[in-house]
Amino acid sequence: MTKELLDKYEAVIGLEVHAQMLTKTKAYSNDVNEYGARPNTNISAVTLGHPGTLPKMNKKTIEFAIKLGLSLNCEIADHQYFARKNYFYPDLPKGYQITQDKTPICTNGHVDLKMGEGVVKKIGITRIHMEEDAGKSIHDVDVYDTLVDLNRAGTPLLEIVTEPDLRSGDEAYAYVTEIRQLVRYLEICDGNMEEGSLRCDANVSVRLKGAEEFGTKVEVKNMNSIRNVQRAINFEIERQIEMVEKNEPIAQETRSFDAVNTRTISMRTKEAANDYRYFPEPDLQPLSVTKEHVQAVKDEMPVLPNALFEKYTKELSLSDYDASNIISTKPFAAYFELLIQYTKNYKAAANWMNGDVRSYLNQQGKTIEEFPITPEKLAALIALIDEGKVSNTIASQKLFPALLENSEKSPQAIAEELNLVQDSDESSIKGFIDEVIKQHPSEVERYKGGEKQLVGFFMGQLMKVSKGKADPKAANKLMREMLEN
Ligand code: ADP
Ligand code: MG
C-alpha cells in the first residue's frame, strides 16, 4: 500500500490482554495450576462444576491483581462481586466462566510507552478484572476426533483492557512488550505467548485523519507472539483502508490471524456473537479490598522496570536505548545493579552488558543467571581498560573470551598471562612509531604534504608492529607529534 494512502487514514486500536497467573492452585479451587501436566489430571469436581460443588476464591489472585493494578497506575476497587458469563463450549465444563463483569478490581490506569529517544506515548488502561480460563480443545492430535484437555479450566486470568489509544502496530508491539515485562518483573505470569500464558486480542478500526468518530472495529485473535500482534494489526489496517477506499462497509466481526499467510480470516460476525447472560455469581461472596490490604501489597512490590529506567537515564546518564536494553529482563537488570556497585563507568558497564555479554548469551542460548563471569570480575575488566592497560578491542576480542573460559581467574592475571597488557610507556611506543615511519616513507611524505587522514593508516601499522599492545590514546598523540617533525 502506498504511503500516501496509509497517511490519509489513522488507525485506532484497543488491546485486550489475558495473563495466566502463576498461582500454585486454580482461581476457585485447590486443583493444581500447572502447564504441561498429563491431560485431565488436574481437575476435581469443583473445576468440572459438578452439582453441589462450591467455588472458593484464591486469595493469591487478588494480590496479583492489585500488584499489576498498582504498577499500571490503576485505582483499586474496594467492593467487587463476581459474575457468571454463560456459554456452551466443549472445553467449558461448567457451562459458564466466573468473571468480573461490572466491578473490575482495577480501573482507570495508564502506561507510558517509550517510543524512541525521549518519546513517550501514554496509553489508558480501562480496566483489569479477574476471571478463569477455559479448558483446551485439541484438534491436531487425533485424526478423527477433537480431544478435550480440561487441565487449563479454572486457571486464574487477569484481563487487561486498554482505551482505544493505540495508533499503530508499532505501538501495540511496544505495549504488549511492556505488559509482558511487567508481569515478569512482578512474577505473576511467565509471559510466554507461544504457550498461551499471555494472549492478546486486538480491536482495530480506521478513520480518515482528522475525523472525530471512530470507524467500525474488528477484533483479531490468535496471535502467538508479539511480532504477530504487530503483523496482524498492520495487515488489518491495510485491509480496512482498502475496504473504505472501495466504499465497502466494514463488518463488525471477529477475525483470526493466519501467521503463515500474514492475513486475517473472518471467524464470526457480531450478529452471530454470544449473549452471555451475565448475572451475579451466587456461590462466591462479594469481595472487599481494604486500604490496608492495598498498602501491604504495595510494601511488597519489587522494584519495577520504570523506576530502573528513570534511575539509569537520570542518575547514570545512560541513553533511553541503553537503559531499555538493561531493564529488558529482571535478572539482566539485577546483574547490572551488582555491576555498578563495582564500577562507576556506567556507560562502559552498559556497553559491555548490551554488547559482548548479550551476544555471548544469545550465541550460547543462555540466560544471565548462567553467565560465568561475576559482576566484580567484569568490573575489573572495565577497570583495566579505563587504566589504559588493555585496549577496548583487545579486551573484547581476547581478554573477554579468555575470561569466559577461566572465570575463576582475575582479568588482570589473564591479561598478564596472555601478554595482553598494553604499552603506554612513552619510550617503547616511540620505538614502535619509529619503526612504522621507517617502513612507510612515501606515506610519511604524503602525510606531510597535507593528507592528515593517513594517521589512521599509521595507527593501523602501529597496532600491527606492537601486536595491538600500544595504548591507542597515548600512541595517537605521539604519532601526530613525530609525523610533524
Ligand atoms: P465490546 O463491547 O465489543 O467488548 P469494548 O467497548 O468493551 O467493546 O472495547 C473492547 C476493546 O476495543 C477495548 O480495548 C477498546 O479500547 C477497544 N475499542 C473500542 N472501540 C474501538 C474502535 N472503534 N476501534 C478500535 N478499538 C476499539
Ligand atoms: Mg467489552
Side-chain angles (χ1 to χ4, degrees):
M1 181 166 287
T2 64
K3 194 171 174 310
E4 283 76 14
L5 196 48
L6 274 173
D7 283 348
K8 196 172 144 191
Y9 291 87
E10 176 178 61
V12 172
I13 302 151
L15 299 178
E16 295 165 286
V17 169
H18 286 88
Q20 280 182 355
M21 295 295 97
L22 287 171
T23 51
K24 290 200 181 68
T25 56
K26 292 191 181 173
Y28 313 112
S29 79
N30 286 331
D31 293 353
V32 176
N33 172 31
E34 65 180 339
Y35 180 83
R38 270 191 62 220
N40 299 309
T41 50
N42 293 332
I43 46 173
S44 67
V46 183
T47 292
L48 298 176
H50 285 186
T53 56
L54 287 175
K56 196 174 83 192
M57 187 65 206
N58 184 340
K59 291 217 176 69
K60 208 72 188 165
T61 322
I62 303 169
E63 183 191 314
F64 285 4
I66 297 172
K67 273 189 179 163
L68 185 61
L70 288 176
S71 51
L72 289 172
N73 312 291
C74 292
E75 291 156 25
I76 312 294
D78 41 10
H79 289 292
Q80 308 148 47
Y81 61 89
F82 290 84
R84 284 191 187 179
K85 178 182 183 180
N86 301 280
Y87 61 99
F88 175 77
Y89 213 73
D91 61 18
L92 189 73
K94 293 202 291 267
Y96 58 86
Q97 272 176 303
I98 303 177
T99 180
Q100 294 192 302
D101 177 33
K102 298 236 158 42
T103 58
I105 182 164
C106 313
T107 52
N108 216 359
H110 66 89
V111 57
D112 291 326
L113 301 181
K114 300 168 201 80
M115 297 305 301
E117 221 51 40
V119 186
V120 168
K121 167 85 194 234
K122 184 171 174 173
I123 306 298
I125 304 289
T126 315
R127 58 186 282 162
I128 304 173
H129 64 259
M130 299 183 276
E131 60 180 29
E132 62 179 324
D133 215 341
K136 215 174 188 171
S137 298
I138 300 160
H139 307 288
D140 54 3
V141 170
D142 190 282
V143 184
Y144 301 105
D145 296 316
T146 288
L147 307 177
V148 177
D149 177 7
L150 295 178
N151 279 348
R152 198 177 71 178
T155 299
L157 296 178
L158 293 181
E159 178 173 341
I160 309 146
V161 184
T162 74
E163 290 292 298
D165 287 346
L166 299 126
R167 293 291 173 268
S168 66
D170 288 354
E171 289 183 3
Y173 184 92
Y175 172 80
V176 183
T177 304
E178 185 88 9
I179 294 293
R180 184 175 65 178
Q181 184 184 50
L182 207 49
V183 296
R184 285 177 170 168
Y185 265 74
L186 293 169
E187 295 176 14
I188 62 174
C189 168
D190 68 21
N192 190 329
M193 290 194 70
E194 280 92 81
E195 289 177 1
S197 37
L198 193 73
R199 306 191 283 270
C200 176
D201 301 336
N203 299 274
V204 183
S205 66
V206 298
R207 62 180 170 185
L208 280 170
K209 233 170 223 169
E212 295 264 316
E213 293 219 348
F214 287 158
T216 304
K217 79 169 153 60
V218 167
E219 185 180 20
V220 188
K221 287 180 176 294
N222 296 330
M223 292 84 86
N224 67 352
S225 68
I226 301 183
R227 188 62 68 196
N228 280 348
V229 171
Q230 182 184 36
R231 288 169 69 208
I233 289 172
N234 288 342
F235 172 85
E236 192 54 31
I237 292 170
E238 296 200 3
R239 188 188 70 85
Q240 291 184 18
I241 291 175
E242 272 167 20
M243 304 265 295
V244 176
E245 284 287 308
K246 283 189 281 185
N247 269 322
E248 283 176 31
I250 288 166
Q252 184 164 349
E253 62 182 348
T254 302
R255 299 176 71 87
S256 175
F257 181 58
D258 166 8
V260 176
N261 300 299
T262 317
R263 59 176 181 173
T264 63
I265 307 159
S266 183
M267 282 169 81
R268 52 178 181 265
T269 57
K270 193 74 183 180
E271 282 77 11
N274 292 306
D275 172 7
Y276 295 118
R277 295 181 297 112
Y278 285 99
F279 64 85
E281 164 64 59
D283 290 339
L284 267 184
Q285 297 219 345
L287 195 71
S288 69
V289 176
T290 61
K291 286 206 166 56
E292 292 74 28
H293 189 175
V294 174
Q295 188 57 46
V297 174
K298 213 181 228 170
D299 293 342
E300 281 188 10
M301 293 270 276
V303 56
L304 295 178
N306 258 336
L308 291 175
F309 182 85
E310 287 293 301
K311 172 177 166 184
Y312 298 161
T313 50
K314 304 253 155 69
E315 288 172 37
L316 310 189
S317 303
L318 296 180
S319 66
D320 287 9
Y321 176 83
D322 279 343
S324 294
N325 279 325
I326 296 287
I327 64 169
S328 61
T329 72
K330 192 172 174 173
F332 204 73
Y335 187 101
F336 185 74
E337 282 289 301
L338 290 172
L339 182 58
I340 57 174
Q341 290 184 11
Y342 297 105
T343 177
K344 295 285 160 264
N345 191 345
Y346 306 125
K347 177 65 185 156
N351 285 349
W352 276 94
M353 295 276 312
N354 292 331
D356 294 58
V357 174
R358 196 182 289 283
S359 305
Y360 167 80
L361 296 176
N362 288 345
Q363 268 165 25
Q364 302 284 318
K366 284 186 177 164
T367 65
I368 189 76
E369 286 110 317
E370 300 163 297
F371 185 59
I373 302 174
T374 63
E376 199 174 354
K377 290 209 167 105
L378 188 58
L381 181 147
I382 292 170
L384 286 180
I385 302 165
D386 288 348
E387 290 158 10
K389 290 193 180 141
V390 181
S391 73
N392 230 324
T393 317
I394 293 289
S396 171
Q397 290 173 358
K398 305 229 167 96
L399 185 51
F400 181 72
L403 189 56
L404 283 167
E405 297 297 315
N406 304 280
S407 53
E408 74 293 343
K409 291 189 184 166
S410 78
Q412 172 90 31
I414 296 177
E416 279 163 13
E417 254 171 56
L418 298 181
N419 205 14
L420 300 176
V421 178
Q422 71 187 0
D423 230 324
S424 34
D425 171 55
E426 221 174 88
S427 64
S428 68
I429 294 179
K430 275 185 175 159
F432 290 135
I433 295 177
D434 269 335
E435 216 177 312
V436 171
I437 287 178
K438 240 179 259 155
Q439 284 172 4
H440 302 283
S442 63
E443 280 83 0
V444 173
E445 279 314 305
R446 282 166 55 202
Y447 181 88
K448 289 189 170 161
E451 290 183 56
K452 301 292 176 203
Q453 75 280 7
L454 277 171
V455 75
F457 164 78
F458 288 117
M459 285 299 292
Q461 294 304 311
L462 175 82
M463 284 304 159
K464 250 191 213 161
V465 172
S466 70
K467 301 200 171 60
K469 282 171 61 191
D471 174 9
K473 238 201 204 141
N476 199 297
K477 190 163 157 281
L478 285 173
M479 176 74 81
R480 285 170 198 274
E481 282 170 16
M482 289 171 71
L483 282 168
E484 299 299 333
N485 295 320

